[in-house]
Amino acid sequence: MLHLRLITPSEKTDDVVLLIEKTVGTTHLVVLPGAARDPAGDVVMCDVAREAGDELLKGLRELGIDTSGSIAVETIDLSLSERAEKAEADAPGEGADAVLWEQLTEATHEESTLSVTYLAFITLATMIAACGVVLDNAILIVGAMAVGPEFGPLTGICTAIVRRRPRLALRSLIALLVGFAAAMALTVVFSLFMDAAGLFTEAQLEADRPNTGFIYAPDWFSFVVAVLAGIAGTLSLTSAKSGALVGVAISVTTVPAAANAAVALIYGDTNQTLRSTEQLLLNLAGILLAGTLTLLAQKWLWSKQRR
């Protein structure tokens, strides 16, 4: 179940209440006339089954509540109510299959913003991966994968394509490209420092690396894994099962490939630089393709299920 807290202008409250009452899957409707002060208006609260949430949010936005008032949505972890159970039973479809497009768009908008925190995480992840490739340490590679925040912008691009939001697509693309470019550039500087300190050597990079050699060996399996990870990651976001994202993060070779390219660059190893870059692009393409097709499939299946 979802809990909605709305601030509505007094002249629109009746329309909002009517919309809530005629939406199948809503319950626990509360109206507090004149309770809101900033902005001034009425406070309307209700619970709605997840599978009916997107339709209700769309109707509220059509009434202009998002501009003239406020719409806040929270997930209810526990609701002991027969009315809530009946609302979920009456709502068409299954809650686990429902996609809250407004929530997904807002979440990806935040995750795909080029911020100092985002740049810090992707840079630190790339530097950790650089240590991993030089030491041939798989644990460091897995750690770097888990730290990397690149799935946010990738999901933002997929969502923007499906929802036709060019501004979100541009924001996500900038975050993705600038993030990786900055991380690789700073990792080059980091690698030069480590080389000067005697902690990185060309011999380590060129040695046989059984644990991390796959990073600069792109093949069809790399693309297949990226596609599968893209599907799993998209499903985890749309179904609010964010715990699966950790597994997705350590399934794709994006950050390690960027790190390997950066380290190889300082030693003039063109082959490793190019093949690592190819691995990076192959993984990004697989995730973007899978994420977009997954969202399109969910949109189509949900529309059929509701009909």
Side-chain angles (χ1 to χ4, degrees), residues 1-2 6-7 38 41 44 47 85 93-94 130 134 146 176 178 209 211 220 227 263 267 270 272 282 303:
M1 293 289 288
L2 303 173
L6 315 172
I7 296 178
D38 184 21
V44 179
D47 295 340
E85 293 178 3
E94 293 294 332
V134 171
L176 187 67
V178 174
R209 288 155 46 196
N211 294 320
W220 279 108
V227 168
V263 177
Y267 292 119
T270 307
Q272 282 202 43
L282 196 63
S303 64

Side-chain angles (χ1 to χ4, degrees), residues 187-189 191-193 195 200 205 261-269 273:
T187 301
V188 166
V189 176
S191 299
L192 288 170
F193 170 78
D195 178 73
F200 281 8
L205 182 73
V263 177
L265 186 63
I266 74 166
Y267 292 119
D269 189 334
T273 300

Side-chain angles (χ1 to χ4, degrees), residues 108-109 112-114 118 152-161 164-179:
T108 52
H109 182 277
S112 60
T113 300
L114 185 62
Y118 171 81
L154 288 168
T155 310
I157 295 173
C158 299
T159 304
I161 292 172
R164 299 178 183 178
R165 300 287 180 88
R167 293 184 64 182
L168 176 59
L170 180 60
R171 175 190 292 267
S172 302
L173 186 61
I174 290 174
L176 187 67
L177 297 180
V178 174

Side-chain angles (χ1 to χ4, degrees), residues 21 208 228:
E21 289 178 337
D208 184 29
L228 296 176

Side-chain angles (χ1 to χ4, degrees), residues 229-251:
I231 295 172
T234 303
L235 288 175
S236 71
L237 284 176
T238 56
S239 63
K241 297 185 182 297
S242 57
L245 280 177
V246 177
V248 171
I250 62 176
S251 300

